[in-house]
Amino acid sequence: MSAPKIAPLTALLLGLIVLASCNDSDEDEKRPNNPSGTAQSANQKPGQTTDAEEGEEGEEGPTPSTAVAAEKAAPQQTAGKQFAYNFDGDTTGQIPAKFHSAKTGGGTLEKWAVTADPTAPSKPNVVAQTSTDQTDYRFPLLISDEGSFQDLDVSVKFKAVSGSIDRAGGLVFRLKDPNNYYIVRANALENNYRLYHVVNGRRSQFAGANLKVTSGEWHELRVEATGNKITCYYDGSKKIEATDETFKDAGKVGLWTKADSVTYFDDLKVTAK
């Protein structure tokens, strides 16, 4: 074959090689960049978070963005010592005496105040949390300053009034500060009763029960804590029994709500064991 005929053929072959190389480069650009080398699950949609990342009920929530103030020390109570609060001698419109408010999580400030309620278990007053901030990971607290308790029997009556994000009321015990405590709470939107520990502002459920929680009616929450054993009652019936080693030392007691829950409380009683 003569040289003039070979040249066009060579040029054609070189062109085909260059074209194929360009196509390969284009395909590489279209492939998703996955530098970690792990593949996305076939059942997971793009941008979808795993259950552990959602911070829903029973799982850890987000790390708090701000530190909380240290709690003022309160004397540890000896066995048999009891405090009872019916809020009837407190001034309406104000936070009850011997308590202070605090908050775990984000959102606006909590709003606790004594208010009159004709349905109160002990008339005329109750204490109410009335803020309707809809921040989901937001837990208003009302903390008693009179004493700290290690082993205890604590109870309160509560009424879930309203709330679209949440409609709950709870008891806090062995509280070290607003980011570290035990909480048992009942939820009228979810119809359940849950026991959590909150550590450095992150909440984790370790026991619970499903039951009917009616709005607009008074119910009683009660907790017995002895050593690492925690027993929780709802309207006088035992619903939760669990063991946990998170908080062993004495701590304060208090009341709790979540997000936009408007909740009334009455007859808070705590006895050292």
Side-chain angles (χ1 to χ4, degrees), residues 104-151:
T104 308
T108 59
L109 290 177
E110 62 284 349
K111 293 181 182 178
W112 294 92
V114 174
T115 187
D117 181 2
T119 73
S122 59
K123 296 176 177 57
N125 292 346
V126 302
V127 66
Q129 199 298 124
T130 59
S131 170
T132 56
D133 186 325
Q134 294 190 342
T135 302
D136 183 67
Y137 203 81
R138 173 181 179 272
F139 308 105
L141 300 168
L142 184 68
I143 302 168
S144 171
D145 291 318
E146 282 202 280
S148 62
F149 302 81
Q150 187 173 33
D151 295 343

Short mmCIF file of all heavy atoms in Angstrom, two decimals, residues 104-151:
data_model
loop_
_atom_site.label_atom_id
_atom_site.label_comp_id
_atom_site.label_asym_id
_atom_site.label_seq_id
_atom_site.Cartn_x
_atom_site.Cartn_y
_atom_site.Cartn_z
N THR A 104 -34.18 23.28 78.55
CA THR A 104 -33.26 22.45 77.79
C THR A 104 -33.56 22.65 76.32
O THR A 104 -34.73 22.69 75.93
CB THR A 104 -33.44 20.96 78.14
OG1 THR A 104 -33.37 20.79 79.55
CG2 THR A 104 -32.36 20.11 77.48
N GLY A 105 -32.53 22.76 75.49
CA GLY A 105 -32.75 22.89 74.05
C GLY A 105 -32.88 24.34 73.60
O GLY A 105 -32.43 25.26 74.28
N GLY A 106 -33.53 24.53 72.44
CA GLY A 106 -33.58 25.86 71.82
C GLY A 106 -34.91 26.55 72.01
O GLY A 106 -35.70 26.22 72.89
N GLY A 107 -35.16 27.54 71.15
CA GLY A 107 -36.41 28.28 71.18
C GLY A 107 -36.40 29.43 72.16
O GLY A 107 -35.39 29.78 72.77
N THR A 108 -37.58 30.04 72.32
CA THR A 108 -37.72 31.21 73.17
C THR A 108 -37.80 30.82 74.64
O THR A 108 -37.87 29.63 74.99
CB THR A 108 -39.00 31.98 72.79
OG1 THR A 108 -40.13 31.11 72.93
CG2 THR A 108 -38.93 32.48 71.36
N LEU A 109 -37.81 31.82 75.51
CA LEU A 109 -37.87 31.58 76.94
C LEU A 109 -39.18 30.91 77.34
O LEU A 109 -40.24 31.14 76.74
CB LEU A 109 -37.72 32.88 77.71
CG LEU A 109 -36.33 33.54 77.70
CD1 LEU A 109 -36.39 34.86 78.44
CD2 LEU A 109 -35.29 32.61 78.30
N GLU A 110 -39.10 30.10 78.37
CA GLU A 110 -40.26 29.45 78.94
C GLU A 110 -41.13 30.46 79.68
O GLU A 110 -40.63 31.52 80.08
CB GLU A 110 -39.81 28.33 79.89
CG GLU A 110 -39.01 28.81 81.09
CD GLU A 110 -37.58 29.19 80.77
OE1 GLU A 110 -37.08 28.91 79.66
OE2 GLU A 110 -36.94 29.79 81.66
N LYS A 111 -42.42 30.16 79.86
CA LYS A 111 -43.34 31.06 80.56
C LYS A 111 -44.13 30.26 81.60
O LYS A 111 -45.14 29.63 81.27
CB LYS A 111 -44.30 31.74 79.58
CG LYS A 111 -43.62 32.72 78.62
CD LYS A 111 -44.64 33.36 77.69
CE LYS A 111 -43.97 34.30 76.69
NZ LYS A 111 -44.97 34.90 75.76
N TRP A 112 -43.65 30.30 82.84
CA TRP A 112 -44.33 29.64 83.94
C TRP A 112 -44.99 30.70 84.83
O TRP A 112 -44.39 31.72 85.16
CB TRP A 112 -43.35 28.85 84.79
CG TRP A 112 -42.72 27.67 84.10
CD1 TRP A 112 -41.55 27.65 83.39
CD2 TRP A 112 -43.23 26.34 84.07
NE1 TRP A 112 -41.29 26.39 82.92
CE2 TRP A 112 -42.31 25.55 83.33
CE3 TRP A 112 -44.36 25.72 84.61
CZ2 TRP A 112 -42.49 24.19 83.11
CZ3 TRP A 112 -44.56 24.36 84.39
CH2 TRP A 112 -43.64 23.61 83.65
N ALA A 113 -46.21 30.44 85.23
CA ALA A 113 -46.90 31.37 86.12
C ALA A 113 -48.02 30.66 86.87
O ALA A 113 -48.63 29.72 86.35
CB ALA A 113 -47.47 32.55 85.34
N VAL A 114 -48.28 31.14 88.07
CA VAL A 114 -49.42 30.64 88.85
C VAL A 114 -50.69 31.22 88.25
O VAL A 114 -50.74 32.41 87.90
CB VAL A 114 -49.27 31.06 90.33
CG1 VAL A 114 -50.51 30.67 91.13
CG2 VAL A 114 -48.02 30.42 90.92
N THR A 115 -51.72 30.39 88.12
CA THR A 115 -52.98 30.85 87.55
C THR A 115 -54.14 30.15 88.25
O THR A 115 -53.99 29.03 88.77
CB THR A 115 -53.05 30.58 86.04
OG1 THR A 115 -54.23 31.17 85.49
CG2 THR A 115 -53.06 29.10 85.74
N ALA A 116 -55.29 30.80 88.30
CA ALA A 116 -56.47 30.19 88.89
C ALA A 116 -57.11 29.23 87.90
O ALA A 116 -57.13 29.47 86.69
CB ALA A 116 -57.48 31.27 89.29
N ASP A 117 -57.60 28.11 88.40
CA ASP A 117 -58.27 27.12 87.56
C ASP A 117 -59.39 26.48 88.38
O ASP A 117 -59.12 25.82 89.39
CB ASP A 117 -57.29 26.06 87.09
CG ASP A 117 -57.94 25.01 86.19
OD1 ASP A 117 -59.15 25.12 85.90
OD2 ASP A 117 -57.25 24.06 85.78
N PRO A 118 -60.66 26.69 87.98
CA PRO A 118 -61.78 26.14 88.76
C PRO A 118 -61.79 24.62 88.82
O PRO A 118 -62.46 24.04 89.68
CB PRO A 118 -63.02 26.68 88.04
CG PRO A 118 -62.54 27.03 86.66
CD PRO A 118 -61.12 27.46 86.82
N THR A 119 -61.04 23.97 87.93
CA THR A 119 -61.00 22.50 87.94
C THR A 119 -59.80 21.97 88.73
O THR A 119 -59.57 20.75 88.76
CB THR A 119 -60.93 21.94 86.50
OG1 THR A 119 -59.62 22.18 85.95
CG2 THR A 119 -61.97 22.55 85.60
N ALA A 120 -59.01 22.84 89.35
CA ALA A 120 -57.79 22.42 90.04
C ALA A 120 -58.09 21.35 91.08
O ALA A 120 -59.08 21.46 91.83
CB ALA A 120 -57.13 23.62 90.70
N PRO A 121 -57.25 20.31 91.18
CA PRO A 121 -57.45 19.30 92.22
C PRO A 121 -57.46 19.89 93.61
O PRO A 121 -58.21 19.44 94.48
CB PRO A 121 -56.25 18.36 92.01
CG PRO A 121 -55.92 18.51 90.56
CD PRO A 121 -56.17 19.96 90.25
N SER A 122 -56.60 20.91 93.87
CA SER A 122 -56.66 21.67 95.14
C SER A 122 -56.85 23.13 94.75
O SER A 122 -55.94 23.76 94.23
CB SER A 122 -55.39 21.47 95.96
OG SER A 122 -54.24 21.88 95.25
N LYS A 123 -58.04 23.64 94.93
CA LYS A 123 -58.40 24.98 94.47
C LYS A 123 -57.80 26.05 95.38
O LYS A 123 -57.57 25.80 96.55
CB LYS A 123 -59.92 25.12 94.41
CG LYS A 123 -60.56 24.18 93.39
CD LYS A 123 -62.07 24.28 93.44
CE LYS A 123 -62.73 23.41 92.37
NZ LYS A 123 -62.34 22.00 92.48
N PRO A 124 -57.53 27.27 94.84
CA PRO A 124 -57.95 27.72 93.51
C PRO A 124 -56.87 27.70 92.44
O PRO A 124 -57.18 27.83 91.26
CB PRO A 124 -58.36 29.17 93.79
CG PRO A 124 -57.37 29.61 94.86
CD PRO A 124 -57.14 28.40 95.71
N ASN A 125 -55.57 27.52 92.83
CA ASN A 125 -54.49 27.78 91.89
C ASN A 125 -53.81 26.52 91.36
O ASN A 125 -53.79 25.47 92.01
CB ASN A 125 -53.41 28.66 92.54
CG ASN A 125 -53.88 30.07 92.82
OD1 ASN A 125 -54.92 30.50 92.31
ND2 ASN A 125 -53.13 30.79 93.64
N VAL A 126 -53.20 26.71 90.20
CA VAL A 126 -52.28 25.74 89.60
C VAL A 126 -51.07 26.53 89.12
O VAL A 126 -51.07 27.76 89.14
CB VAL A 126 -52.93 24.99 88.41
CG1 VAL A 126 -54.18 24.26 88.85
CG2 VAL A 126 -53.24 25.95 87.26
N VAL A 127 -50.03 25.81 88.66
CA VAL A 127 -48.95 26.49 87.96
C VAL A 127 -48.98 26.01 86.51
O VAL A 127 -49.20 24.82 86.24
CB VAL A 127 -47.57 26.23 88.61
CG1 VAL A 127 -47.15 24.77 88.51
CG2 VAL A 127 -46.51 27.14 88.00
N ALA A 128 -48.79 26.94 85.58
CA ALA A 128 -48.97 26.63 84.16
C ALA A 128 -47.76 27.06 83.35
O ALA A 128 -47.14 28.09 83.64
CB ALA A 128 -50.22 27.32 83.63
N GLN A 129 -47.45 26.27 82.33
CA GLN A 129 -46.48 26.67 81.31
C GLN A 129 -47.30 27.06 80.09
O GLN A 129 -48.01 26.24 79.52
CB GLN A 129 -45.53 25.53 80.98
CG GLN A 129 -44.23 25.95 80.27
CD GLN A 129 -44.41 26.62 78.91
OE1 GLN A 129 -43.94 27.74 78.68
NE2 GLN A 129 -45.10 25.93 78.00
N THR A 130 -47.21 28.34 79.68
CA THR A 130 -48.12 28.87 78.67
C THR A 130 -47.45 29.29 77.37
O THR A 130 -48.14 29.73 76.44
CB THR A 130 -48.90 30.08 79.23
OG1 THR A 130 -47.97 31.10 79.61
CG2 THR A 130 -49.74 29.66 80.44
N SER A 131 -46.13 29.19 77.26
CA SER A 131 -45.47 29.54 76.00
C SER A 131 -45.87 28.55 74.93
O SER A 131 -45.94 27.34 75.16
CB SER A 131 -43.95 29.52 76.17
OG SER A 131 -43.30 29.62 74.92
N THR A 132 -46.11 29.07 73.71
CA THR A 132 -46.53 28.20 72.61
C THR A 132 -45.49 28.17 71.48
O THR A 132 -45.81 27.93 70.32
CB THR A 132 -47.88 28.66 72.04
OG1 THR A 132 -47.78 30.03 71.64
CG2 THR A 132 -48.99 28.50 73.06
N ASP A 133 -44.23 28.40 71.84
CA ASP A 133 -43.14 28.29 70.88
C ASP A 133 -43.12 26.87 70.32
O ASP A 133 -43.12 25.90 71.06
CB ASP A 133 -41.81 28.60 71.57
CG ASP A 133 -40.63 28.64 70.61
OD1 ASP A 133 -40.60 27.86 69.64
OD2 ASP A 133 -39.72 29.45 70.85
N GLN A 134 -43.10 26.76 68.97
CA GLN A 134 -43.21 25.44 68.34
C GLN A 134 -41.86 24.78 68.05
O GLN A 134 -41.82 23.77 67.34
CB GLN A 134 -44.02 25.56 67.05
CG GLN A 134 -45.47 25.94 67.29
CD GLN A 134 -46.33 25.82 66.04
OE1 GLN A 134 -45.83 25.79 64.92
NE2 GLN A 134 -47.63 25.76 66.22
N THR A 135 -40.78 25.31 68.61
CA THR A 135 -39.48 24.64 68.46
C THR A 135 -39.59 23.23 69.03
O THR A 135 -39.96 23.04 70.19
CB THR A 135 -38.38 25.42 69.20
OG1 THR A 135 -38.33 26.74 68.68
CG2 THR A 135 -37.03 24.75 69.03
N ASP A 136 -39.28 22.23 68.22
CA ASP A 136 -39.51 20.84 68.63
C ASP A 136 -38.60 20.43 69.78
O ASP A 136 -39.05 19.87 70.78
CB ASP A 136 -39.31 19.90 67.44
CG ASP A 136 -39.62 18.45 67.80
OD1 ASP A 136 -40.80 18.17 68.06
OD2 ASP A 136 -38.68 17.62 67.82
N TYR A 137 -37.29 20.71 69.66
CA TYR A 137 -36.37 20.29 70.72
C TYR A 137 -36.22 21.44 71.72
O TYR A 137 -35.22 22.14 71.78
CB TYR A 137 -35.01 19.88 70.14
CG TYR A 137 -34.26 18.95 71.07
CD1 TYR A 137 -34.54 17.59 71.10
CD2 TYR A 137 -33.29 19.43 71.94
CE1 TYR A 137 -33.89 16.73 71.97
CE2 TYR A 137 -32.63 18.59 72.81
CZ TYR A 137 -32.92 17.24 72.81
OH TYR A 137 -32.27 16.40 73.69
N ARG A 138 -37.28 21.62 72.51
CA ARG A 138 -37.37 22.71 73.49
C ARG A 138 -38.15 22.21 74.69
O ARG A 138 -39.30 21.79 74.57
CB ARG A 138 -38.08 23.92 72.87
CG ARG A 138 -38.39 25.06 73.82
CD ARG A 138 -39.13 26.17 73.09
NE ARG A 138 -39.47 27.28 73.97
CZ ARG A 138 -40.60 27.34 74.68
NH1 ARG A 138 -41.49 26.36 74.59
NH2 ARG A 138 -40.84 28.37 75.46
N PHE A 139 -37.53 22.23 75.87
CA PHE A 139 -38.12 21.62 77.05
C PHE A 139 -38.11 22.60 78.23
O PHE A 139 -37.11 22.70 78.96
CB PHE A 139 -37.36 20.34 77.41
CG PHE A 139 -37.22 19.39 76.27
CD1 PHE A 139 -36.00 19.25 75.62
CD2 PHE A 139 -38.29 18.64 75.82
CE1 PHE A 139 -35.86 18.39 74.55
CE2 PHE A 139 -38.16 17.76 74.75
CZ PHE A 139 -36.95 17.64 74.11
N PRO A 140 -39.19 23.35 78.45
CA PRO A 140 -39.28 24.25 79.60
C PRO A 140 -39.28 23.46 80.91
O PRO A 140 -39.94 22.41 81.04
CB PRO A 140 -40.61 24.96 79.39
CG PRO A 140 -40.85 24.87 77.91
CD PRO A 140 -40.33 23.52 77.53
N LEU A 141 -38.56 23.97 81.91
CA LEU A 141 -38.45 23.34 83.22
C LEU A 141 -38.85 24.33 84.31
O LEU A 141 -38.57 25.53 84.21
CB LEU A 141 -37.01 22.90 83.48
CG LEU A 141 -36.39 21.90 82.51
CD1 LEU A 141 -34.88 21.81 82.75
CD2 LEU A 141 -37.04 20.54 82.67
N LEU A 142 -39.50 23.82 85.36
CA LEU A 142 -39.76 24.58 86.58
C LEU A 142 -39.15 23.77 87.72
O LEU A 142 -39.62 22.67 88.03
CB LEU A 142 -41.25 24.79 86.80
CG LEU A 142 -41.62 25.67 87.99
CD1 LEU A 142 -41.19 27.12 87.75
CD2 LEU A 142 -43.11 25.60 88.30
N ILE A 143 -38.08 24.30 88.33
CA ILE A 143 -37.24 23.53 89.24
C ILE A 143 -37.43 24.01 90.68
O ILE A 143 -37.35 25.22 90.97
CB ILE A 143 -35.77 23.65 88.83
CG1 ILE A 143 -35.59 23.18 87.39
CG2 ILE A 143 -34.87 22.87 89.78
CD1 ILE A 143 -34.23 23.52 86.79
N SER A 144 -37.64 23.07 91.59
CA SER A 144 -37.76 23.39 93.01
C SER A 144 -36.38 23.62 93.62
O SER A 144 -35.45 22.86 93.38
CB SER A 144 -38.46 22.24 93.75
OG SER A 144 -38.39 22.43 95.15
N ASP A 145 -36.27 24.69 94.42
CA ASP A 145 -34.98 25.06 95.01
C ASP A 145 -34.81 24.63 96.46
O ASP A 145 -33.76 24.87 97.05
CB ASP A 145 -34.81 26.59 94.94
CG ASP A 145 -34.62 27.09 93.52
OD1 ASP A 145 -33.89 26.44 92.77
OD2 ASP A 145 -35.22 28.12 93.18
N GLU A 146 -35.83 23.99 97.05
CA GLU A 146 -35.78 23.74 98.49
C GLU A 146 -34.87 22.59 98.89
O GLU A 146 -34.33 22.58 100.00
CB GLU A 146 -37.19 23.49 99.02
CG GLU A 146 -38.00 24.76 99.18
CD GLU A 146 -39.13 24.58 100.17
OE1 GLU A 146 -40.16 24.02 99.76
OE2 GLU A 146 -38.99 25.00 101.33
N GLY A 147 -34.72 21.60 98.05
CA GLY A 147 -33.92 20.46 98.46
C GLY A 147 -33.51 19.59 97.30
O GLY A 147 -34.01 19.74 96.18
N SER A 148 -32.55 18.70 97.56
CA SER A 148 -32.17 17.69 96.59
C SER A 148 -32.45 16.32 97.19
O SER A 148 -32.43 16.14 98.41
CB SER A 148 -30.69 17.82 96.19
OG SER A 148 -29.85 17.63 97.31
N PHE A 149 -32.72 15.35 96.32
CA PHE A 149 -33.17 14.03 96.75
C PHE A 149 -32.44 12.97 95.94
O PHE A 149 -32.32 13.08 94.71
CB PHE A 149 -34.67 13.88 96.51
CG PHE A 149 -35.51 14.91 97.22
CD1 PHE A 149 -35.67 16.18 96.67
CD2 PHE A 149 -36.13 14.62 98.41
CE1 PHE A 149 -36.43 17.14 97.31
CE2 PHE A 149 -36.91 15.57 99.07
CZ PHE A 149 -37.05 16.83 98.53
N GLN A 150 -31.99 11.93 96.64
CA GLN A 150 -31.38 10.79 95.95
C GLN A 150 -32.45 9.72 95.75
O GLN A 150 -32.98 9.58 94.67
CB GLN A 150 -30.19 10.27 96.75
CG GLN A 150 -29.40 9.18 96.03
CD GLN A 150 -28.15 8.81 96.79
OE1 GLN A 150 -28.11 8.85 98.02
NE2 GLN A 150 -27.10 8.46 96.06
N ASP A 151 -32.80 8.99 96.80
CA ASP A 151 -33.94 8.08 96.73
C ASP A 151 -35.18 8.88 97.10
O ASP A 151 -35.18 9.65 98.08
CB ASP A 151 -33.75 6.91 97.69
CG ASP A 151 -32.57 6.02 97.28
OD1 ASP A 151 -32.12 6.12 96.12
OD2 ASP A 151 -32.10 5.25 98.13
#
